[in-house]
Amino acid sequence: MIDYIRLEVRRTLRDKGFVVFGIGMPVVMYLLLTNLAGSSGKEAEAWKVTAMVGMASYGALGAALGTGNGLAEDKKLGWLRQLRITPLSPARVVVGRGLSASVTVLPAIIVVLLLGALVNGIHLAAWQWIGLVVLLWLGTTPFTLLGLGNGYRLSAQAAGMVNAGCMMVLAIIGGLWFPAAAFPGWLQEISRWTPSNRFADLGWSVTAGHGPSAGTVLVLVAWLAAFGAYAVYAYRRAARTA
Amino acid sequence: MAFSGVVKTYGEVRAVDGLDLTVDRGETVALLGRNGAGKSTTISMLLGLLPPTSGEVRLFGGTPEQAVRQGRIGAMLQDGRPIPRVTVRELITFVAATYPKPMAVSEALALAGLEELAGQRVDRLSGGQAQRVRFAVALAGDPDLVVLDEPTTALDVEGRRDFWQAMRAYARRGNTVVFSTHYLTEADENADRIVVVDHGRVVADGSGETIKRAVGGALVSFDLAGGPSDGLTELPGVTSLEIRGDRALLRSADSDATVLELARLGLVRGLQVAPASLEDAFLTLTSSRTDAADGGPAVSGTGASEGAAAVGEGALR
């Protein structure tokens, strides 16, 4: 299975689309959003931190969902069928996919955090930096499952579009691009229940100097269960027809 | 490998309809049939990708799933393409590592004629090269049985020649190979044994020579000139009769005797005697338009009669 993960990670990192959109986009957006305004003071400093977590989350979210695109592509090429006639068990293929996704979410998280520290001069305690990486890394799991579900259920083209759509909607409503505080009240209420907002909240709680609230963790676990069930359903359906 | 009474239905359609087939170790067997004859369904069941509706498929004394899990099977599936963004060597190395006793990667590459392409990205290869990569994927684990589903569709002449060269080199090592094709010459040139499948059943089984003989050694044709065709099947040597327009086509196991009798009856008009080609044999076997009373020795019936009227030479590519 290690070989399978290695193969998939390699393939993802060689994908120019992934490098440009998955890593490049959040990086560029972060630098633009925090430096164009040119304002300084306390508020600007706070925004740099908020946006850093938001953009790292956004990049990780995109990479996690993107796993599904690769999967749908493999399904179209007949590679999933080919794997079924190797001794590699189907369960290990699915788990391997998920684990390779957990590796490919890391570049976006780490690059954005590095820019926050080196370019925007954010100072956090060591435990905060480590906590950020670990929590944002673990927090991508629901999105990986959503992406895998889409990849199994949909055609390659549809999966690409649906995953891109999910990413945009989740990123915007979740307040990863612009703070949810600027939303109208009803949208703020919705935003608080989205997996993406709670995901980023893992990071925001760390930068605020404390651990994530129980509510945040509970909402994320609920989404994890929902997307997990969806992925299992989609996988079973694909196994019958593929 | 053994199929016994295997049936696979999709709703009303019986894709595989009571298939019996046994293949021994070391054999190179061609499954020959038109598109839609049930070859791919048969292969999917052989690989455990599809469960049979009824009947049983056994591989090395167990189920296909067990044989796959033990790494005893390698396959090249129809319409598959190699995945992008890996090199040939990376891909073959990965596949080999999933098997318990793989062959050396360099050996797999050499057998498939890929040594010089090992460092290339798979998505930058030509169609023929990509097909050989898929062949290398099938044999990388050094499985006991290699299954190739229509391996040369979509290949040009040169690609096809290179592919079969690689396949024969591999079969010479004593491996069991089962491949499906709708090209008669491919089956004839590359297999020890040809299994003709039609309407989901085995309609003939043997070497190319056996099948030709079984169907009748020669094709005798003449103009009927409006005369009756009754009784022509009773002529000496005749195994089947087909009327095409105003011409009678007799398949005969003994064309000399047939022609002498035709002469005695005064029926020699525009007479032609041609040796049966494998193609003739194939068409006879897979077409129920013939009024043959019964088939030859190795021929076990000519399949279901209904629906077979749609069978034409046009279906053969």
Side-chain angles (χ1 to χ4, degrees):
Chain A
M1 198 164 76
I2 298 291
D3 291 315
Y4 184 54
I5 297 170
R6 194 180 302 144
L7 182 83
E8 288 307 330
V9 169
R10 209 178 256 171
R11 288 180 62 206
T12 305
L13 296 181
R14 280 181 191 160
D15 184 350
K16 290 196 188 76
F18 170 80
V19 175
V20 171
F21 292 102
I23 305 174
M25 275 282 275
V27 164
V28 170
M29 282 184 72
Y30 177 55
L31 293 178
L32 284 178
L33 286 176
T34 53
N35 290 297
L36 272 190
S39 63
S40 56
K42 226 174 166 191
E43 234 170 71
E45 289 311 307
W47 169 235
K48 281 177 181 174
V49 176
T50 307
M52 173 180 76
V53 173
M55 281 305 144
S57 305
Y58 161 63
L61 172 74
L65 285 169
T67 305
N69 301 349
L71 184 77
E73 186 189 27
D74 285 0
K75 188 175 66 179
K76 185 178 90 182
L77 295 172
W79 176 241
L80 294 186
R81 265 169 85 83
Q82 185 72 47
L83 283 175
R84 279 177 66 192
I85 46 165
T86 65
L88 204 61
S89 75
R92 292 204 302 187
V93 171
V94 180
V95 175
R97 265 287 178 181
L99 290 176
S100 73
S102 74
V103 177
T104 52
V105 300
L106 284 171
I109 297 176
I110 290 171
V111 171
V112 173
L113 294 188
L114 276 176
L115 287 174
L118 303 177
V119 177
N120 283 345
I122 294 171
H123 290 284
L124 293 175
W127 74 266
Q128 283 176 307
W129 288 117
I130 294 167
L132 266 181
V133 173
V134 171
L135 285 178
L136 290 182
W137 178 55
L138 290 177
T140 54
T141 318
F143 307 107
T144 302
L145 290 170
L146 175 62
L148 289 179
N150 286 336
Y152 274 118
R153 197 169 61 85
L154 304 170
S155 74
Q157 209 185 355
M161 281 165 58
V162 170
N163 281 330
C166 285
M167 180 175 78
M168 296 290 275
V169 170
L170 287 172
I172 293 171
I173 300 194
L176 306 186
W177 286 1
F178 312 103
F183 293 166
W186 60 272
L187 193 56
Q188 279 190 39
E189 202 51 42
I190 295 176
S191 178
R192 285 198 336 174
W193 293 94
T194 58
S196 46
N197 182 264
R198 292 298 95 189
F199 168 51
D201 189 61
L202 293 176
W204 287 324
S205 62
V206 170
T207 54
H210 53 82
S213 71
T216 294
V217 174
L218 270 178
V219 171
L220 272 179
V221 168
W223 282 109
L224 176 73
F227 291 149
Y230 170 63
V232 169
Y233 156 78
Y235 170 74
R236 293 225 170 114
R237 223 178 73 141
R240 274 204 305 274
T241 53
Chain B
M1 149 194 158
F3 278 69
S4 41
V6 172
V7 175
K8 180 72 191 178
T9 56
Y10 295 104
E12 294 285 290
V13 184
R14 294 174 84 82
V16 171
D17 190 9
L19 190 98
D20 291 295
L21 179 64
T22 307
V23 174
D24 292 325
R25 263 175 215 234
E27 281 191 300
T28 304
V29 178
L31 286 180
L32 176 65
R34 292 169 294 114
N35 290 330
K39 304 186 298 288
S40 282
T41 307
T42 301
I43 284 182
S44 290
M45 290 190 288
L46 171 62
L47 298 172
L49 293 173
L50 271 183
T53 309
S54 65
E56 196 186 31
V57 183
R58 303 286 287 172
L59 267 179
F60 305 110
T63 63
E65 289 81 359
Q66 286 167 341
V68 165
R69 204 60 69 233
Q70 289 163 2
R72 305 185 74 167
I73 315 291
M76 203 172 140
L77 300 168
Q78 203 178 348
D79 300 329
R81 271 162 296 155
I83 47 171
R85 299 188 296 279
V86 287
T87 68
V88 173
R89 187 187 302 281
E90 283 165 359
L91 182 64
I92 304 307
T93 306
F94 162 69
V95 174
T98 65
Y99 282 82
K101 291 191 299 281
M103 66 172 74
V105 171
S106 56
E107 192 184 355
L109 293 175
L111 278 167
L114 292 168
E115 292 130 307
E116 284 165 18
L117 302 170
Q120 293 235 26
R121 289 264 289 263
V122 167
D123 36 337
R124 293 179 189 156
L125 301 178
S126 74
Q129 292 166 339
Q131 204 71 344
R132 293 210 302 282
V133 170
R134 299 185 53 232
F135 180 57
V137 165
L139 57 82
D142 201 10
D144 297 321
L145 169 67
V146 167
V147 180
L148 315 167
D149 193 2
E150 306 222 349
T152 58
T153 348
L155 286 192
D156 58 17
V157 178
E158 198 181 344
R160 230 177 275 167
R161 191 198 55 209
D162 292 348
F163 177 83
W164 287 116
Q165 213 166 357
M167 200 288 287
R168 282 196 302 266
Y170 179 67
R172 271 199 296 276
R173 297 162 85 246
N175 298 78
T176 313
V177 180
V178 172
F179 69 88
S180 71
T181 179
H182 53 238
Y183 296 112
L184 299 155
T185 41
E186 286 193 344
D188 202 19
E189 287 167 13
N190 300 297
D192 318 326
R193 180 178 157 200
I194 301 175
V195 174
V196 183
V197 179
D198 198 46
H199 295 284
R201 285 165 170 273
V202 174
V203 294
D205 186 346
S207 69
E209 277 310 308
T210 322
I211 288 174
K212 281 183 234 175
R213 263 206 310 282
V215 169
L219 196 64
V220 178
S221 60
F222 62 97
D223 289 329
L224 282 167
S229 58
D230 315 338
L232 290 178
T233 50
E234 310 299 323
L235 297 178
V238 171
T239 55
S240 76
L241 164 69
E242 187 184 340
I243 308 293
R244 258 184 227 165
D246 194 33
R247 232 174 135 68
L249 281 76
L250 299 169
R251 213 163 290 284
S252 173
D254 184 352
S255 52
D256 294 349
T258 308
V259 169
L260 284 170
E261 188 61 15
L262 283 174
R264 204 182 61 76
L265 294 169
L267 291 173
V268 178
R269 280 182 295 267
L271 182 84
Q272 283 187 340
V273 179
S277 62
L278 191 61
E279 187 162 337
D280 288 326
F282 181 78
L283 286 172
T284 309
L285 290 166
T286 58
S287 154
S288 64
R289 287 186 305 170
T290 49
D291 300 329
D294 53 1
V299 182
S300 55
T302 51
S305 52
E306 78 220 34
V311 176
E313 292 92 309
L316 252 179
R317 285 207 265 156

